[in-house]
Amino acid sequence: MADGEGGETKPKGKGWPVGRALRTFLSFNGPRFFTGRSNKKGAASASAAIALATPVQLGANLPLGHGVVLVTGATGGVGRRVVSLLLEKGLRVRALARNEQKALAMLSAGKRPDPASSRLEVVTADIRDAASLTPEIMEGVVAVVGCTAAIVQPKTGDSEDRAKYYQGIVFYEPETLDSPEETDYKGVQNVLAAARKYGDVGGTKKLYSCSPAFIDRWQDFASLDDVVMGGRSDSKFSLVPGAGEEGNDDSPSRIAGVFEGVVTTDRGFASGGFTSMRTRNLEPALDLTGYEGIRLRVKGDGNTYKIILRDSDQWDGPSWSTMVPTKDGIWEDLEVPFASLIPVARTRSIPPEQRQPFKLDSVFALQIMLSKFAYDGEENPTYKNGPFKLVIQSIEAYQGNQAPRTPRYVHISSAGVERPGRPGIVLEEEPPAVRMNDMLGGILTYKLKGEDEIRGSGLPYTIIRPCALTEEAPNMPLLVDVGDTIKGKVSRDDVARLAVAALACPDASDLTFEVKSTIPFSQAWTEEDAAKVPSTDMTKVFAEVKGKVGK
């Protein structure tokens, strides 16, 4: 990070510090090796540079912005259909699978997607292994569709494409190939924990944080003082162990960013009176679509600071700015609604007739400034020459209270999870998984425990419990219920459509329900049948479930 000159407590001498001015210029305009800041981007960051050519079509109220939807179990019968549907809707998809070659063959014609042109990323991890769910996998994830399940196959074996298992009509004596406890319960725990810790599923977008997974991001910032205009103010931004908020579990060593120095109107040969920390132009630019503002967790010093966002890559172009006061020595959240920002050219507000809309999908730089000057000739009412210190724990984008509450975790479970051990149940009349739950390693028992983890997470969720899954055509007439009593079959295509539709539907939030088709096992459902009926309105399906829950 670029520091002030020697971290002095006060400016020295009366001359203009030419060396520091040159170093500032190189820090923001020179090659990366002048600053020590890395330009390395992971696959997740690289894909964030993709410009969406078409708007997201999942629904007008979809609050996902241009974030990533993570699909676990992406090579399964439902998972690969979910991936395809999300891509059709214009969303960015991160497909998680254990077998990379299999995933690429199924989802991307055997080729690794080009991050410069594709909305699809394929990543390998095992949800049973918490360490494999890295910050890079969860970066930018705003919703999860969980399609992973313990693998079940006929005892007599199956073909490579699992044709016996997928057909869903003819019964074969089953066996599990992996542990339901590890996959359906602990695996769900692991995904939830990683998504909440590293992703953006909680209604906020982590921009800068002092947790170990995000600490390197602060290298985007460097000092930018009035030395570039002939002044003599001097600041530095550094990460300081022990400076953070007590009790902050995200940073075990209590690291925090500290912006400090001396601001002065004493002049070298030109003007002074401001100091700031600013990011070099971000690559790619931040996409804050769907958010209402940014929130800074800080311990202030009683000064009033400018918060500046730039939606242009021009170094000294127009910016969006507001002023926020801080309390001396007290930790607080500073919320900066985008609606409070005014467009300015340096310290002059831009006339209304010349203003352009704020481009939330192209935020190139963030800046925090302490300045004598407010706007349009006014002065900062709390400004004073001398030392200052602002401690910053985190910066995040947030959604407002009016944002629709749509599911951030959509989970494909199974009908029957509540039936093992239920009083009065007649096992001979139940599906094989219920009758054979113990023999299959408690598969339904652990699916229910996984559901409980999701329901207790605090995230908006939808849990879909399909009856027997088949490879039949989509658009079957559907029947939904709550209470886990129904039996029947349902197409994987329709379950995938339900999962994708849930992401856009507030009525789908916090629902757990079973779904089947009204078509009996004895009757096939074909593409010709599907073409003869109107496409199912999934929002009406969710409304029906909500009505049943209300009763």
Side-chain angles (χ1 to χ4, degrees):
M1 301 177 193
D3 292 341
E5 191 170 83
E8 305 146 335
T9 58
K10 62 181 181 178
K12 294 180 179 180
K14 293 292 184 181
W16 179 45
V18 178
R20 189 156 58 87
L22 177 61
R23 192 166 65 198
T24 299
F25 173 81
L26 291 175
S27 178
F28 287 95
N29 297 281
R32 291 278 174 174
F33 62 79
F34 279 112
T35 69
R37 297 199 304 278
S38 171
N39 195 31
K40 182 180 179 181
K41 299 285 182 181
S45 296
S47 74
I50 300 170
L52 294 183
T54 57
V56 174
Q57 298 296 322
L58 278 175
N61 292 327
L62 184 70
L64 301 183
H66 296 166
V68 176
V69 179
L70 177 72
V71 181
T72 69
T75 59
V78 175
R80 62 177 180 263
R81 288 169 166 88
V82 168
V83 169
S84 178
L85 287 171
L86 289 171
L87 292 171
E88 287 177 11
K89 300 295 185 182
L91 285 169
R92 291 170 50 213
V93 182
R94 190 164 298 144
L96 186 150
R98 284 185 275 185
N99 187 317
E100 182 181 45
Q101 288 187 332
K102 180 180 178 182
L104 292 175
M106 282 189 173
L107 305 174
S108 188
K111 299 178 181 178
R112 181 170 297 283
D114 181 358
S117 60
S118 176
R119 292 184 176 91
L120 173 66
E121 298 172 59
V122 174
V123 294
T124 53
D126 188 337
I127 69 169
R128 299 171 299 180
D129 176 12
S132 73
L133 299 172
T134 62
E136 291 76 19
I137 285 177
M138 294 296 173
E139 182 181 359
V141 168
V142 293
V144 176
V145 182
C147 302
T148 309
I151 297 175
V152 177
Q153 75 168 23
K155 284 185 175 181
T156 55
D158 206 343
S159 58
E160 186 175 344
D161 61 1
R162 303 184 69 200
K164 290 180 183 179
Y165 170 78
Y166 282 130
Q167 52 84 34
I169 304 294
V170 179
F171 173 70
Y172 294 91
E173 191 77 13
E175 64 179 356
T176 55
L177 297 187
D178 48 18
S179 164
E181 180 181 10
E182 295 296 320
T183 303
D184 294 302
Y185 172 41
K186 293 182 179 178
V188 170
Q189 283 183 317
N190 292 337
V191 174
L192 277 169
R196 298 187 67 173
K197 186 174 184 179
Y198 306 130
D200 299 326
V201 295
T204 60
K205 181 180 181 67
K206 298 177 182 66
L207 303 180
Y208 297 92
S209 167
C210 290
S211 67
F214 295 91
I215 200 76
D216 287 348
R217 292 188 183 183
W218 292 105
Q219 295 181 77
D220 291 335
F221 283 97
S223 296
L224 178 61
D225 302 329
D226 56 21
V227 65
V228 297
M229 301 178 66
R232 295 177 55 247
S233 299
D234 190 10
S235 74
K236 68 176 181 178
F237 176 72
S238 55
L239 296 172
V240 180
E245 189 172 9
E246 292 185 12
N248 179 20
D249 294 336
D250 285 344
S251 180
S253 56
R254 288 181 52 214
I255 292 177
V258 178
F259 173 45
E260 61 184 334
V262 176
V263 62
T264 179
T265 52
D266 290 345
R267 300 183 178 187
F269 66 87
S271 60
F274 78 86
T275 185
S276 75
M277 54 180 281
R278 173 176 168 169
T279 64
R280 183 172 175 163
N281 276 358
L282 301 172
E283 303 171 6
L286 287 175
D287 185 347
L288 302 182
T289 304
Y291 295 92
E292 187 173 287
I294 61 171
R295 181 187 297 121
L296 299 86
R297 183 68 179 170
V298 305
K299 183 170 73 173
D301 54 5
N303 280 308
T304 298
Y305 290 82
K306 285 183 178 179
I307 308 298
I308 303 169
L309 281 73
R310 299 180 181 273
D311 61 353
S312 166
D313 61 359
Q314 299 177 26
W315 168 252
D316 197 24
S319 61
W320 294 81
S321 177
T322 193
M323 300 185 72
V324 292
T326 66
K327 299 174 182 176
D328 188 10
I330 297 176
W331 283 100
E332 61 181 326
D333 290 326
L334 301 181
E335 289 197 351
V336 182
F338 295 137
S340 71
L341 300 174
I342 60 171
V344 297
R346 295 191 178 178
T347 62
R348 297 288 178 182
S349 60
I350 297 174
E353 66 274 9
Q354 298 177 17
R355 296 178 180 179
Q356 300 294 321
F358 184 23
K359 298 192 287 289
L360 281 173
D361 62 348
S362 303
V363 177
F364 285 93
L366 281 71
Q367 188 171 6
I368 300 171
M369 176 181 287
L370 177 58
S371 174
K372 173 183 177 180
F373 311 102
Y375 309 106
D376 300 326
E378 299 290 329
E379 292 191 356
N380 182 342
T382 63
Y383 177 84
K384 57 183 180 296
N385 283 344
F388 69 92
K389 183 177 182 179
L390 181 68
V391 185
I392 309 170
Q393 192 74 53
S394 62
I395 305 174
E396 63 186 11
Y398 67 89
Q399 290 187 321
N401 295 330
Q402 302 304 312
R405 180 181 169 86
T406 55
R408 294 308 180 104
Y409 201 112
V410 178
H411 184 64
I412 310 303
S413 183
S414 173
V417 294
E418 297 182 43
R419 299 178 208 179
R422 177 184 284 176
I425 198 166
V426 181
L427 285 177
E428 292 75 14
E429 297 176 1
E430 291 297 323
V434 178
R435 300 196 307 268
M436 308 173 73
N437 180 58
D438 291 342
M439 189 186 78
L440 294 174
I443 190 167
L444 296 179
T445 302
Y446 286 113
K447 283 183 181 293
L448 182 59
K449 290 172 74 71
E451 288 184 11
D452 289 340
E453 291 294 319
I454 296 167
R455 282 187 285 266
S457 70
L459 297 177
Y461 66 86
T462 304
I463 297 174
I464 303 171
R465 295 170 168 177
C467 292
L469 291 163
T470 75
E471 290 291 286
E472 291 171 282
N475 215 25
M476 284 180 163
L478 299 179
L479 186 150
V480 292
D481 204 358
V482 296
D484 196 13
T485 60
I486 62 175
K487 311 175 190 70
K489 67 176 182 178
V490 65
S491 163
R492 288 183 175 85
D493 279 313
D494 284 328
V495 174
R497 290 172 62 209
L498 270 170
V500 171
L503 293 171
C505 185
D507 276 348
S509 286
D510 305 330
L511 293 182
T512 300
F513 65 94
E514 298 80 50
V515 60
K516 73 166 191 171
S517 166
T518 59
I519 304 298
F521 276 101
S522 58
Q523 179 182 339
W525 182 260
T526 67
E527 294 288 350
E528 290 182 359
D529 295 321
K532 293 175 183 177
V533 296
S535 181
T536 304
D537 184 345
M538 296 302 182
T539 59
K540 293 182 178 179
V541 174
F542 297 126
E544 181 181 353
V545 175
K546 193 172 182 180
K548 290 178 179 288
V549 172
K551 294 178 182 179

PDB file of all heavy atoms in Angstrom, residues 523-542:
ATOM      1  N   GLN A 523     -49.103 -44.020 -16.479  1.00  0.00           N
ATOM      2  CA  GLN A 523     -49.300 -43.217 -17.689  1.00  0.00           C
ATOM      3  C   GLN A 523     -48.043 -42.404 -17.984  1.00  0.00           C
ATOM      4  O   GLN A 523     -47.549 -41.670 -17.129  1.00  0.00           O
ATOM      5  CB  GLN A 523     -50.504 -42.289 -17.515  1.00  0.00           C
ATOM      6  CG  GLN A 523     -50.776 -41.391 -18.724  1.00  0.00           C
ATOM      7  CD  GLN A 523     -51.938 -40.454 -18.483  1.00  0.00           C
ATOM      8  OE1 GLN A 523     -52.779 -40.708 -17.613  1.00  0.00           O
ATOM      9  NE2 GLN A 523     -52.006 -39.375 -19.233  1.00  0.00           N
ATOM     10  N   ALA A 524     -47.526 -42.535 -19.188  1.00  0.00           N
ATOM     11  CA  ALA A 524     -46.346 -41.767 -19.585  1.00  0.00           C
ATOM     12  C   ALA A 524     -46.746 -40.331 -19.939  1.00  0.00           C
ATOM     13  O   ALA A 524     -47.876 -40.078 -20.370  1.00  0.00           O
ATOM     14  CB  ALA A 524     -45.661 -42.427 -20.771  1.00  0.00           C
ATOM     15  N   TRP A 525     -45.819 -39.428 -19.770  1.00  0.00           N
ATOM     16  CA  TRP A 525     -46.018 -38.028 -20.145  1.00  0.00           C
ATOM     17  C   TRP A 525     -44.954 -37.667 -21.178  1.00  0.00           C
ATOM     18  O   TRP A 525     -43.758 -37.760 -20.920  1.00  0.00           O
ATOM     19  CB  TRP A 525     -45.899 -37.119 -18.932  1.00  0.00           C
ATOM     20  CG  TRP A 525     -46.123 -35.653 -19.196  1.00  0.00           C
ATOM     21  CD1 TRP A 525     -45.170 -34.699 -19.360  1.00  0.00           C
ATOM     22  CD2 TRP A 525     -47.376 -34.988 -19.340  1.00  0.00           C
ATOM     23  NE1 TRP A 525     -45.737 -33.472 -19.591  1.00  0.00           N
ATOM     24  CE2 TRP A 525     -47.101 -33.615 -19.577  1.00  0.00           C
ATOM     25  CE3 TRP A 525     -48.715 -35.398 -19.290  1.00  0.00           C
ATOM     26  CZ2 TRP A 525     -48.107 -32.669 -19.765  1.00  0.00           C
ATOM     27  CZ3 TRP A 525     -49.714 -34.451 -19.465  1.00  0.00           C
ATOM     28  CH2 TRP A 525     -49.412 -33.105 -19.698  1.00  0.00           C
ATOM     29  N   THR A 526     -45.391 -37.284 -22.366  1.00  0.00           N
ATOM     30  CA  THR A 526     -44.480 -37.085 -23.496  1.00  0.00           C
ATOM     31  C   THR A 526     -44.352 -35.617 -23.856  1.00  0.00           C
ATOM     32  O   THR A 526     -45.095 -34.757 -23.358  1.00  0.00           O
ATOM     33  CB  THR A 526     -44.983 -37.867 -24.711  1.00  0.00           C
ATOM     34  OG1 THR A 526     -46.218 -37.281 -25.162  1.00  0.00           O
ATOM     35  CG2 THR A 526     -45.208 -39.341 -24.363  1.00  0.00           C
ATOM     36  N   GLU A 527     -43.427 -35.347 -24.773  1.00  0.00           N
ATOM     37  CA  GLU A 527     -43.277 -33.988 -25.294  1.00  0.00           C
ATOM     38  C   GLU A 527     -44.553 -33.524 -25.982  1.00  0.00           C
ATOM     39  O   GLU A 527     -44.915 -32.346 -25.933  1.00  0.00           O
ATOM     40  CB  GLU A 527     -42.086 -33.926 -26.260  1.00  0.00           C
ATOM     41  CG  GLU A 527     -40.731 -34.159 -25.613  1.00  0.00           C
ATOM     42  CD  GLU A 527     -40.284 -32.990 -24.741  1.00  0.00           C
ATOM     43  OE1 GLU A 527     -40.926 -31.924 -24.789  1.00  0.00           O
ATOM     44  OE2 GLU A 527     -39.288 -33.161 -24.008  1.00  0.00           O
ATOM     45  N   GLU A 528     -45.238 -34.450 -26.663  1.00  0.00           N
ATOM     46  CA  GLU A 528     -46.503 -34.099 -27.320  1.00  0.00           C
ATOM     47  C   GLU A 528     -47.545 -33.684 -26.286  1.00  0.00           C
ATOM     48  O   GLU A 528     -48.299 -32.727 -26.493  1.00  0.00           O
ATOM     49  CB  GLU A 528     -47.018 -35.282 -28.143  1.00  0.00           C
ATOM     50  CG  GLU A 528     -46.172 -35.580 -29.378  1.00  0.00           C
ATOM     51  CD  GLU A 528     -46.744 -36.740 -30.183  1.00  0.00           C
ATOM     52  OE1 GLU A 528     -47.777 -37.317 -29.755  1.00  0.00           O
ATOM     53  OE2 GLU A 528     -46.184 -37.057 -31.249  1.00  0.00           O
ATOM     54  N   ASP A 529     -47.581 -34.389 -25.148  1.00  0.00           N
ATOM     55  CA  ASP A 529     -48.505 -34.006 -24.080  1.00  0.00           C
ATOM     56  C   ASP A 529     -48.167 -32.622 -23.553  1.00  0.00           C
ATOM     57  O   ASP A 529     -49.066 -31.798 -23.306  1.00  0.00           O
ATOM     58  CB  ASP A 529     -48.433 -35.020 -22.929  1.00  0.00           C
ATOM     59  CG  ASP A 529     -48.907 -36.406 -23.328  1.00  0.00           C
ATOM     60  OD1 ASP A 529     -49.886 -36.495 -24.093  1.00  0.00           O
ATOM     61  OD2 ASP A 529     -48.284 -37.389 -22.887  1.00  0.00           O
ATOM     62  N   ALA A 530     -46.886 -32.372 -23.361  1.00  0.00           N
ATOM     63  CA  ALA A 530     -46.448 -31.086 -22.811  1.00  0.00           C
ATOM     64  C   ALA A 530     -46.838 -29.924 -23.717  1.00  0.00           C
ATOM     65  O   ALA A 530     -47.180 -28.836 -23.246  1.00  0.00           O
ATOM     66  CB  ALA A 530     -44.940 -31.101 -22.587  1.00  0.00           C
ATOM     67  N   ALA A 531     -46.789 -30.170 -25.038  1.00  0.00           N
ATOM     68  CA  ALA A 531     -47.083 -29.101 -25.999  1.00  0.00           C
ATOM     69  C   ALA A 531     -48.569 -28.751 -26.041  1.00  0.00           C
ATOM     70  O   ALA A 531     -48.939 -27.677 -26.523  1.00  0.00           O
ATOM     71  CB  ALA A 531     -46.605 -29.516 -27.385  1.00  0.00           C
ATOM     72  N   LYS A 532     -49.402 -29.619 -25.530  1.00  0.00           N
ATOM     73  CA  LYS A 532     -50.852 -29.407 -25.630  1.00  0.00           C
ATOM     74  C   LYS A 532     -51.415 -28.565 -24.489  1.00  0.00           C
ATOM     75  O   LYS A 532     -52.577 -28.160 -24.539  1.00  0.00           O
ATOM     76  CB  LYS A 532     -51.574 -30.761 -25.642  1.00  0.00           C
ATOM     77  CG  LYS A 532     -51.301 -31.600 -26.883  1.00  0.00           C
ATOM     78  CD  LYS A 532     -51.962 -32.960 -26.755  1.00  0.00           C
ATOM     79  CE  LYS A 532     -51.638 -33.850 -27.967  1.00  0.00           C
ATOM     80  NZ  LYS A 532     -52.224 -35.206 -27.816  1.00  0.00           N
ATOM     81  N   VAL A 533     -50.612 -28.319 -23.443  1.00  0.00           N
ATOM     82  CA  VAL A 533     -51.136 -27.596 -22.285  1.00  0.00           C
ATOM     83  C   VAL A 533     -50.348 -26.306 -22.067  1.00  0.00           C
ATOM     84  O   VAL A 533     -49.174 -26.207 -22.464  1.00  0.00           O
ATOM     85  CB  VAL A 533     -51.062 -28.472 -21.013  1.00  0.00           C
ATOM     86  CG1 VAL A 533     -51.959 -29.685 -21.159  1.00  0.00           C
ATOM     87  CG2 VAL A 533     -49.629 -28.898 -20.726  1.00  0.00           C
ATOM     88  N   PRO A 534     -50.970 -25.301 -21.460  1.00  0.00           N
ATOM     89  CA  PRO A 534     -50.237 -24.047 -21.194  1.00  0.00           C
ATOM     90  C   PRO A 534     -49.073 -24.295 -20.240  1.00  0.00           C
ATOM     91  O   PRO A 534     -49.128 -25.189 -19.385  1.00  0.00           O
ATOM     92  CB  PRO A 534     -51.303 -23.150 -20.542  1.00  0.00           C
ATOM     93  CG  PRO A 534     -52.612 -23.787 -20.831  1.00  0.00           C
ATOM     94  CD  PRO A 534     -52.360 -25.240 -20.990  1.00  0.00           C
ATOM     95  N   SER A 535     -48.047 -23.478 -20.385  1.00  0.00           N
ATOM     96  CA  SER A 535     -46.897 -23.590 -19.487  1.00  0.00           C
ATOM     97  C   SER A 535     -47.320 -23.245 -18.058  1.00  0.00           C
ATOM     98  O   SER A 535     -48.074 -22.291 -17.835  1.00  0.00           O
ATOM     99  CB  SER A 535     -45.787 -22.641 -19.940  1.00  0.00           C
ATOM    100  OG  SER A 535     -44.670 -22.736 -19.109  1.00  0.00           O
ATOM    101  N   THR A 536     -46.867 -24.023 -17.108  1.00  0.00           N
ATOM    102  CA  THR A 536     -47.258 -23.823 -15.718  1.00  0.00           C
ATOM    103  C   THR A 536     -46.712 -22.501 -15.183  1.00  0.00           C
ATOM    104  O   THR A 536     -45.524 -22.198 -15.336  1.00  0.00           O
ATOM    105  CB  THR A 536     -46.724 -24.969 -14.844  1.00  0.00           C
ATOM    106  OG1 THR A 536     -47.182 -26.209 -15.377  1.00  0.00           O
ATOM    107  CG2 THR A 536     -47.215 -24.821 -13.417  1.00  0.00           C
ATOM    108  N   ASP A 537     -47.585 -21.712 -14.573  1.00  0.00           N
ATOM    109  CA  ASP A 537     -47.176 -20.463 -13.924  1.00  0.00           C
ATOM    110  C   ASP A 537     -46.695 -20.813 -12.519  1.00  0.00           C
ATOM    111  O   ASP A 537     -47.491 -21.071 -11.613  1.00  0.00           O
ATOM    112  CB  ASP A 537     -48.355 -19.495 -13.866  1.00  0.00           C
ATOM    113  CG  ASP A 537     -47.957 -18.138 -13.288  1.00  0.00           C
ATOM    114  OD1 ASP A 537     -46.870 -18.036 -12.677  1.00  0.00           O
ATOM    115  OD2 ASP A 537     -48.744 -17.175 -13.433  1.00  0.00           O
ATOM    116  N   MET A 538     -45.386 -20.846 -12.325  1.00  0.00           N
ATOM    117  CA  MET A 538     -44.843 -21.285 -11.054  1.00  0.00           C
ATOM    118  C   MET A 538     -45.157 -20.320  -9.918  1.00  0.00           C
ATOM    119  O   MET A 538     -45.209 -20.719  -8.749  1.00  0.00           O
ATOM    120  CB  MET A 538     -43.330 -21.496 -11.169  1.00  0.00           C
ATOM    121  CG  MET A 538     -42.933 -22.610 -12.143  1.00  0.00           C
ATOM    122  SD  MET A 538     -43.676 -24.211 -11.696  1.00  0.00           S
ATOM    123  CE  MET A 538     -42.987 -25.277 -12.966  1.00  0.00           C
ATOM    124  N   THR A 539     -45.378 -19.044 -10.214  1.00  0.00           N
ATOM    125  CA  THR A 539     -45.732 -18.113  -9.143  1.00  0.00           C
ATOM    126  C   THR A 539     -47.076 -18.504  -8.524  1.00  0.00           C
ATOM    127  O   THR A 539     -47.286 -18.334  -7.311  1.00  0.00           O
ATOM    128  CB  THR A 539     -45.797 -16.666  -9.658  1.00  0.00           C
ATOM    129  OG1 THR A 539     -46.775 -16.569 -10.700  1.00  0.00           O
ATOM    130  CG2 THR A 539     -44.446 -16.231 -10.209  1.00  0.00           C
ATOM    131  N   LYS A 540     -47.980 -19.034  -9.331  1.00  0.00           N
ATOM    132  CA  LYS A 540     -49.263 -19.499  -8.797  1.00  0.00           C
ATOM    133  C   LYS A 540     -49.075 -20.745  -7.938  1.00  0.00           C
ATOM    134  O   LYS A 540     -49.801 -20.958  -6.964  1.00  0.00           O
ATOM    135  CB  LYS A 540     -50.241 -19.765  -9.937  1.00  0.00           C
ATOM    136  CG  LYS A 540     -50.677 -18.511 -10.681  1.00  0.00           C
ATOM    137  CD  LYS A 540     -51.695 -18.838 -11.772  1.00  0.00           C
ATOM    138  CE  LYS A 540     -52.152 -17.568 -12.481  1.00  0.00           C
ATOM    139  NZ  LYS A 540     -53.126 -17.855 -13.570  1.00  0.00           N
ATOM    140  N   VAL A 541     -48.094 -21.573  -8.309  1.00  0.00           N
ATOM    141  CA  VAL A 541     -47.800 -22.752  -7.501  1.00  0.00           C
ATOM    142  C   VAL A 541     -47.343 -22.325  -6.107  1.00  0.00           C
ATOM    143  O   VAL A 541     -47.803 -22.857  -5.083  1.00  0.00           O
ATOM    144  CB  VAL A 541     -46.719 -23.618  -8.180  1.00  0.00           C
ATOM    145  CG1 VAL A 541     -46.298 -24.772  -7.264  1.00  0.00           C
ATOM    146  CG2 VAL A 541     -47.235 -24.167  -9.509  1.00  0.00           C
ATOM    147  N   PHE A 542     -46.439 -21.342  -6.058  1.00  0.00           N
ATOM    148  CA  PHE A 542     -45.950 -20.880  -4.754  1.00  0.00           C
ATOM    149  C   PHE A 542     -47.076 -20.228  -3.942  1.00  0.00           C
ATOM    150  O   PHE A 542     -47.152 -20.397  -2.722  1.00  0.00           O
ATOM    151  CB  PHE A 542     -44.787 -19.907  -4.926  1.00  0.00           C
ATOM    152  CG  PHE A 542     -43.583 -20.521  -5.578  1.00  0.00           C
ATOM    153  CD1 PHE A 542     -43.001 -19.950  -6.703  1.00  0.00           C
ATOM    154  CD2 PHE A 542     -43.023 -21.680  -5.073  1.00  0.00           C
ATOM    155  CE1 PHE A 542     -41.900 -20.514  -7.304  1.00  0.00           C
ATOM    156  CE2 PHE A 542     -41.906 -22.261  -5.668  1.00  0.00           C
ATOM    157  CZ  PHE A 542     -41.349 -21.672  -6.793  1.00  0.00           C
TER     158      PHE A 542
END
